[in-house]
Amino acid sequence: MPKSKPQPDSRIAVNKKARHDYFIVEQLEAGLVLEGWEVKSLREKSIQLKESYVLIRDMQAWLLGAHIAPLITTSTHKAADPTRTRKLLLHKDEIAKLVGAVERKGYTIIPLSMYWKKGVVKLGIAVAKGKHKQDRRASIKERDWKRDQQRLMKNAK
């Protein structure tokens, strides 16, 4: 049986804060419209999704607040804007579904992760509802209890 090649890590960035601050209701995958220097920076994994969000305007989805740091070696004839608004590539029915979700009270669209898929950059987005302080505390307690359970089960064997 031939050995399979190890897959390189396809994740570019993960928004760890998203699952802490929001209840994830639904997840989607979107493409991105990027410039050449941005793709080079993404290969170096120099992106931050922490404070970014998705906005829908004129039945088009846009990524706002994502910071892609320009590389020193990129072209000098064009000024790089690290926090520019980037268009998301989604089908009309997916955008309509997102518009319906956002119009409900308290729902927002946030990016969860950015990754490579067949040589193309994809953005995992989610329809989410914000957590209150007590919800965050409950999530932390539940996570700690699950960790303790795993530890107890491991020691019992």
Side-chain angles (χ1 to χ4, degrees):
M1 189 184 287
K3 291 184 180 180
S4 63
K5 294 182 182 177
Q7 293 293 325
D9 188 19
S10 64
R11 289 185 303 173
I12 299 169
V14 177
N15 189 356
K16 294 178 184 177
K17 198 80 169 151
R19 295 192 189 276
H20 182 264
D21 291 341
Y22 298 95
F23 291 113
I24 306 300
V25 177
E26 184 179 357
Q27 295 184 17
L28 291 169
E29 180 180 80
L32 278 161
V33 177
L34 298 171
E35 295 179 358
W37 68 267
E38 292 173 326
V39 176
K40 289 180 181 182
S41 292
L42 291 179
R43 291 198 188 282
E44 297 293 323
K45 299 184 179 186
S46 58
I47 181 169
Q48 188 176 30
L49 293 173
K50 194 174 188 179
E51 298 293 325
S52 59
Y53 60 98
V54 176
L55 183 68
I56 297 181
R57 218 180 307 141
D58 300 327
M59 288 305 286
Q60 294 182 350
W62 301 89
L63 176 66
L64 286 90
H67 186 275
I68 298 178
L71 297 176
I72 298 169
T73 58
T74 56
S75 118
T76 57
H77 68 279
K78 185 169 183 183
D81 182 14
T83 57
R84 77 175 184 90
T85 304
R86 294 164 182 92
K87 185 175 180 180
L88 297 181
L89 303 173
L90 292 164
H91 292 283
K92 286 183 183 179
D93 57 334
E94 291 175 329
I95 293 175
K97 189 188 302 184
L98 291 175
V99 168
V102 169
E103 287 178 355
R104 286 185 270 167
K105 186 179 178 190
Y107 285 86
T108 187
I109 307 167
I110 56 169
L112 294 177
S113 63
M114 190 176 285
Y115 50 90
W116 295 102
K117 185 174 183 180
K118 296 183 182 176
V120 179
V121 177
K122 297 289 183 175
L123 181 71
I125 59 175
V127 176
K129 184 170 179 133
K131 286 184 182 179
H132 295 289
K133 196 170 190 175
Q134 62 269 22
D135 296 330
R136 291 188 196 125
R137 287 184 190 145
S139 296
I140 290 170
K141 283 182 183 179
E142 184 178 336
R143 184 184 66 218
D144 290 344
W145 171 238
K146 285 183 181 179
R147 188 183 315 130
D148 290 342
Q149 280 180 328
Q150 292 295 329
R151 195 175 294 138
L152 290 171
M153 294 298 288
K154 185 178 179 181
N155 291 337
K157 289 182 182 181

